Amino acid sequence: MIYIKTDEEVEIQRQSSLLVGKTLAEVAKIIKPGIKTIELDKVAESYIRDNGAAPGFKGYGGFPATLCISVNDEVVHGIPGNRELIDGDIVSIDCGTYMNGFYGDSAYTFAVGEVEDEVLLLLERTKESLYLGIEQAIVGKRIGDIGYAVQKYVESFGYSVVRDLVGHGVGRNLHEKPEIPNHGRRGSGVKLKSGMCLAIEPMINLGVKDVLQDNDGWTIRTTDKKPSAHFEHNVVVRNGKADILSTFKYIEEVLKNK
Ligand code: MG
Ligand code: MG
């Protein structure tokens, strides 16, 4: 079943989703060549706890950390550790929070130092595809309209859409129905209703769409070793225009002043 959230529930969820954006801004302040990914994770966990919430991913299905940190050809679900980021890396950082009974779940892909233009474009266009998907998250549209919008845009640049992982409903559970693929047919799938809370999260590859899982049981990476980008927002379906609960505002203020 797909939950329809009351306005009151949506406001509680908004607080959780906003906290993710603020946490990612703390990460943005310190991300640079030479930093270990585990150091980013520690900062995020402390910040979340200091703000009266719990990390949403830690312990979820056995995941050991606060952040999913996925570098270059890693698509999602990378485990923080002693890897040092280097100049030219791109890093998807996915963060979850749990506060007052609701989850926030949002992701941003960062450029570390000087990144190749071709890869910077992948980041920019993946983020744009997220907003094109969000434009479809309105009453009267269907799930397939979201995926269609994302896919049409990114494939026009020769990129490919990861099929094995999808967006999802979000609320009292981190992953709720419906699934939200980043590819699809217009007018297909579940009809969207006001009050549905969705995590929309395009995962877009510079090369082929195929991915595989590492032996660590978590990390998903591209089979051709080419880079992949990932951006995620939480939104509520409304009439005419979706309400975006999470935000990149704090992250981008930090990045602008770096
Ligand atoms: Mg996420
Ligand atoms: Mg998600």
Side-chain angles (χ1 to χ4, degrees):
M1 86 162 241
I2 300 173
Y3 295 102
I4 302 294
K5 271 85 172 179
T6 65
D7 290 353
E8 200 174 33
E9 288 171 322
V10 166
E11 291 317 309
I12 300 170
Q13 172 141 22
R14 190 189 307 277
Q15 295 312 310
S16 229
S17 297
L18 284 176
L19 181 56
V20 177
K22 290 177 181 171
T23 305
L24 290 174
E26 293 302 304
V27 171
K29 285 178 188 169
I30 57 167
I31 195 165
K32 60 171 190 227
I35 197 159
K36 292 187 168 111
T37 56
I38 191 72
E39 296 176 71
L40 304 177
D41 194 74
K42 283 183 185 147
V43 164
E45 179 168 1
S46 303
Y47 187 81
I48 289 168
R49 295 196 189 282
D50 288 348
N51 282 277
F57 299 164
K58 202 167 193 177
Y60 186 88
F63 190 76
T66 293
L67 301 176
C68 293
I69 302 185
S70 311
V71 185
N72 299 335
D73 62 317
E74 298 171 356
V75 180
V76 286
H77 302 168
I79 302 173
N82 287 320
R83 177 178 189 159
E84 280 182 16
L85 298 178
I86 60 171
D87 193 56
D89 280 345
I90 58 163
V91 190
S92 153
I93 303 193
D94 195 347
C95 178
T97 55
Y98 182 69
M99 186 164 63
N100 299 320
F102 285 85
Y103 284 92
D105 180 13
S106 176
Y108 197 91
T109 302
F110 296 88
V112 180
E114 293 292 315
V115 170
E116 277 177 71
D117 287 346
E118 181 189 40
V119 179
L120 283 178
L121 277 174
L122 173 72
L123 301 192
E124 200 175 295
R125 290 162 175 170
T126 300
K127 188 167 70 171
E128 285 163 2
S129 79
L130 167 61
Y131 288 103
L132 292 173
I134 290 171
E135 277 179 16
Q136 301 296 313
I138 56 176
V139 174
K141 296 279 187 176
R142 292 177 182 269
I143 289 292
D145 293 311
I146 297 173
Y148 175 82
V150 170
Q151 180 181 17
K152 184 170 175 253
Y153 186 65
V154 301
E155 286 186 350
S156 75
F157 303 107
Y159 306 151
S160 56
V161 174
V162 174
R163 309 292 208 265
D164 302 38
L165 298 126
V166 295
H168 50 92
V170 62
R172 292 187 187 276
N173 302 291
L174 180 58
H175 295 123
E176 297 182 351
K177 286 185 176 170
E179 289 195 344
I180 309 170
N182 294 299
H183 67 291
R185 278 187 302 115
R186 255 191 292 198
S188 69
V190 172
K191 207 167 188 182
L192 300 176
K193 291 183 184 152
S194 187
M196 287 181 178
C197 289
L198 310 176
I200 302 177
E201 50 179 316
M203 288 153 264
I204 307 302
N205 296 349
L206 189 62
V208 300
K209 68 181 189 306
D210 307 279
V211 297
L212 50 82
Q213 191 177 53
D214 277 3
N215 291 333
D216 65 11
W218 285 103
T219 312
I220 303 290
R221 67 174 73 236
T222 58
T223 55
D224 63 4
K225 302 276 201 293
K226 289 191 178 171
S228 181
H230 176 216
F231 289 84
E232 177 178 21
H233 267 318
N234 299 153
V235 309
V236 186
V237 174
R238 295 298 189 206
N239 276 306
K241 193 171 194 292
D243 183 1
I244 306 178
L245 301 179
S246 46
T247 181
F248 297 152
K249 183 180 75 177
Y250 304 107
I251 299 168
E252 290 178 343
E253 275 169 13
V254 170
L255 296 180
K256 203 175 61 196
N257 296 315
K258 250 184 146 178

